[in-house]
Amino acid sequence: MLRIDFSDNRQAPIWLVDERFTIGQDSRNTLVLGDAEVSPFHAEIRQDHGYYYLSDCGSQAGTYVNDERIGARFQLRANDRLRLGSVALLCVDPGKSQARAESAARWFLQVLKGEHEGKKFHIHGSMTFGRSVKCELCFSDMALSRRHCEFFLKGDVLEVKDLASASGVLVNQQKVGTAVLQPGDQLKIGSVSLLVIGPRVAVAPAEDEDATQFMRAIDLPKPLKSKPAASAASANPLRSAAHAKPASKPGVPAAKPRPGLHGLALAGLAVLAILAVGVGVVLAARALF
């Protein structure tokens, strides 16, 4: 047997026990919905040999199952998502649903101040919050954007994400873009104040993507041991070159050293002696003739 749950938890679940189940604004329907986009006789569900068939009754806004518009005798199955106007419903088969550990973690948002004050909304999957009738959490607060923010579950962790709204999202009086929520957190969205209710879950700290990370590139070679200091002559190549004797080329005689001043004086005296002897010889020859 199927059960109809309201996605926004506005009413208690309804069991489909009758063979014909009608939905609409008119008070004669089995399920009366006051949404402006719901027609007086919007849709009906019929039970036939244990199967459930949903039909649209010519409504203006249409009837959708899993975001697809349907016509007549669409067979419903467990976990199908129905939408009539802005009202979202979920088909549940408790007999086939398996008890899972994560199902015990239930998250709620309770309105502390603003529209629907005191009401609790059950959060599951991904739910948008704003003024648009297409939002799962629809509020008529004019301080809200049409699609203001989104609440979504990642396992047992509830997060909120600002959808580029005009006034932003405040968590414990701090403006956030995306934040992990914990039980007891208070949100301010437009003029609506919300209290987070749910299980306390340990969340691993997220890595900072902008943090500077240092990576080892290569191993540098170890420095060589220092050698003893060279002599002053070897340290200065110019001085070493000045003291070094030029090497003679093969086949070329080495240049003779030039005489010093003492050698020049002796050579000069020898020349004078030779001249004096010559002068004496010349004078002696004239005397004889």
Side-chain angles (χ1 to χ4, degrees):
M1 182 181 296
L2 289 180
R3 187 185 72 198
I4 298 295
D5 288 1
F6 288 84
S7 298
D8 58 3
N9 228 21
R10 66 173 66 182
Q11 295 185 30
I14 301 174
W15 292 89
L16 299 178
V17 295
D18 298 330
E19 291 186 1
R20 184 170 181 264
F21 185 91
T22 60
I23 306 172
Q25 283 200 43
D26 195 279
S27 60
R28 291 171 289 178
N29 286 286
T30 311
L31 175 59
V32 179
L33 299 176
D35 188 270
E37 294 187 13
V38 175
S39 301
F41 294 94
H42 197 103
E44 70 172 9
I45 301 174
R46 287 185 177 270
Q47 186 178 168
D48 187 4
H49 295 89
Y51 296 100
Y52 297 86
Y53 298 93
L54 174 65
S55 298
D56 183 76
C57 299
S59 65
Q60 183 175 0
T63 302
Y64 293 82
V65 178
N66 300 326
D67 296 327
E68 293 185 7
R69 189 165 184 169
I70 59 100
R73 287 185 65 81
F74 182 92
Q75 184 178 349
L76 294 177
R77 295 176 174 82
N79 300 322
D80 280 345
R81 294 176 288 107
L82 284 62
R83 181 164 56 84
L84 295 79
S86 63
V87 181
L89 305 171
L90 178 66
C91 290
V92 179
D93 186 352
K96 294 182 179 179
S97 60
Q98 298 178 355
R100 297 178 299 177
E102 61 267 23
S103 64
R106 296 175 61 85
W107 292 89
F108 294 89
L109 294 176
Q110 183 174 6
V111 182
L112 298 178
K113 184 179 179 181
E115 187 179 359
H116 306 303
E117 184 173 341
K119 189 173 182 179
K120 288 197 302 184
F121 295 93
H122 178 217
I123 303 300
H124 55 85
S126 174
M127 303 179 68
T128 52
F129 184 102
R131 287 191 297 109
S132 173
V133 295
K134 295 183 179 180
C135 293
E136 288 81 5
L137 301 173
C138 179
F139 285 68
S140 59
D141 182 10
M142 296 305 297
L144 296 174
S145 299
R146 293 184 60 82
R147 296 180 74 255
H148 198 101
C149 63
E150 178 185 8
F151 294 93
F152 53 94
L153 284 169
K154 289 184 177 179
D156 289 343
V157 180
L158 178 62
E159 298 186 26
V160 62
K161 180 180 180 181
D162 184 17
L163 300 178
S165 62
S167 57
V169 176
L170 298 180
V171 178
N172 299 325
Q173 300 181 355
Q174 297 292 328
K175 193 170 184 178
V176 300
T178 302
V180 176
L181 300 177
Q182 293 287 350
D185 285 346
Q186 293 191 20
L187 286 74
K188 183 71 178 301
I189 308 174
S191 302
V192 180
S193 296
L194 302 172
L195 173 66
V196 179
I197 302 174
R200 185 165 294 278
V201 180
V203 180
E207 295 183 0
D208 187 0
E209 296 181 355
D210 297 330
T212 302
Q213 298 182 0
F214 296 93
M215 300 180 63
R216 187 173 182 176
I218 58 173
D219 292 329
L220 297 177
K222 295 182 179 180
L224 299 176
K225 293 183 179 180
S226 59
K227 295 182 179 180
S231 61
S234 61
N236 191 337
L238 297 179
R239 183 177 297 179
S240 300
H243 287 280
K245 294 181 179 181
S248 60
K249 297 181 179 180
V252 179
K256 295 182 179 180
R258 295 181 180 182
L261 295 177
H262 181 70
L264 293 175
L266 292 176
L269 292 176
V271 171
L272 291 177
I274 294 173
L275 292 176
V277 171
V279 171
V281 172
V282 170
L283 293 176
R286 286 183 177 182
L288 292 176
F289 293 103

